[in-house]
Amino acid sequence: MNDITPIHDGATPMPPASFGRAVHNQRRAGLLALGLVVAAVWISIPLGEWRIGLFLAGGFVLGLLNHVLTEYAMQKAIASGNPITRQAYASSSLWRLAVISIIAFGVGAIYWPDGAAVMFGLAIFHMIALMLTAIPLLREVRKG
């Protein structure tokens, strides 16, 4: 039970992994990020805190990047046809999150204190994306 086997009917060939397809599949997350970026900048400029708004928007963009890279990693795993181990999946996720976090912490440290908004933007995006993912799953569980 250490393998995660992709579900596929075998009748249709698996398309190769594509970053463009990953972006297309995550269009809801893209629209969420776009709305959050516009809101952050729109609200922060009249308050005279445009730098915080831009750094917050940067965190939302990093969150979207993580979301799309997760989709791309799953496409690659499914397209390979080989079952991926839980350890390999966890390792891939850990490296991806580490790189995104290092970028966020780096920007936050270089542009302190306004740059700290990048980390908040990243956290806010992940919380909202998690809720948007969990709601349909909870509805399915409720039906069944």
Side-chain angles (χ1 to χ4, degrees), residues 71-132:
E71 168 81 18
Y72 180 65
M74 290 306 298
Q75 283 182 14
K76 281 184 11 182
I78 292 170
S80 74
N82 299 325
I84 185 171
T85 64
R86 291 176 195 254
Q87 183 179 5
Y89 180 72
S91 174
S92 169
S93 297
L94 180 65
W95 279 109
R96 186 177 54 255
L97 287 173
V99 169
I100 299 249
S101 297
I102 288 170
I103 292 169
F105 280 116
V107 170
I110 292 169
Y111 297 102
W112 186 263
D114 295 337
V118 171
M119 293 175 274
F120 287 110
L122 185 59
I124 290 168
F125 182 86
H126 278 126
M127 286 190 322
I128 294 173
L130 179 65
M131 285 189 293
L132 290 177

Side-chain angles (χ1 to χ4, degrees), residues 40-54:
V41 173
W42 190 12
I43 292 170
S44 66
I45 289 176
L47 296 175
E49 298 291 344
W50 61 271
R51 288 176 51 116
I52 291 176
L54 289 180

